[in-house]
Amino acid sequence: YFRDLADDLQVKRDLLMTGLEEAGFEVFRPRGTYFVTVDIRPVDPSGDGYAFCRSLPERCGVVGIPNVVFYDRAHRAEGRHLVRFAFCKRAELIDEAVTRLKGLS
């Protein structure tokens, strides 16, 4: 069971990573999480991940999590441009989200 679960999540991680790269994001390979983190600046030069994530549902029906919410006030600038997307979803949903994100550029 656990080997199958790990294999399934790896396939979904790779599917999301490839799609996000094709959409123009700089993608960071995760280790031990259900999220892929991206640098949004290639797609949104303002680098404001919080504003980017707030606009995503209206712009393309996708939800992202701004990493800046995990930083304390003193270090928020360091994570301002980073956003994470979950890959613990059905493959069809990942494909749809990636297609919508590609439409942003």
Side-chain angles (χ1 to χ4, degrees):
Y1 169 81
F2 293 108
R3 182 76 254 159
D4 290 343
L5 177 62
D7 291 345
D8 182 59
L9 287 170
Q10 183 174 347
V11 167
K12 292 174 180 177
R13 179 204 64 197
D14 294 346
L15 178 65
L16 181 58
M17 287 181 59
T18 299
L20 292 169
E21 288 171 347
E22 290 172 356
F25 296 97
E26 179 182 353
V27 178
F28 302 97
R29 179 176 294 278
R31 295 182 186 174
T33 182
Y34 298 110
F35 301 94
V36 172
T37 297
V38 300
D39 182 340
I40 64 161
R41 292 177 292 189
V43 174
D44 183 344
S46 76
D48 186 342
Y50 188 78
F52 179 79
C53 287
R54 287 188 51 103
S55 73
L56 275 181
E58 184 177 320
R59 291 172 63 196
C60 66
V62 174
V63 175
I65 303 162
N67 283 27
V68 73
V69 301
F70 300 110
Y71 287 75
D72 65 19
R73 291 189 188 273
H75 296 95
R76 286 218 168 135
E78 295 171 24
R80 183 176 183 272
H81 61 285
L82 301 173
V83 169
R84 60 198 276 184
F85 295 97
F87 59 84
C88 52
K89 310 284 183 188
R90 293 185 329 273
E92 310 84 62
L93 188 60
I94 293 170
D95 284 335
E96 179 65 25
V98 165
T99 297
R100 291 177 182 200
L101 288 166
K102 288 178 183 177
L104 292 175
S105 47

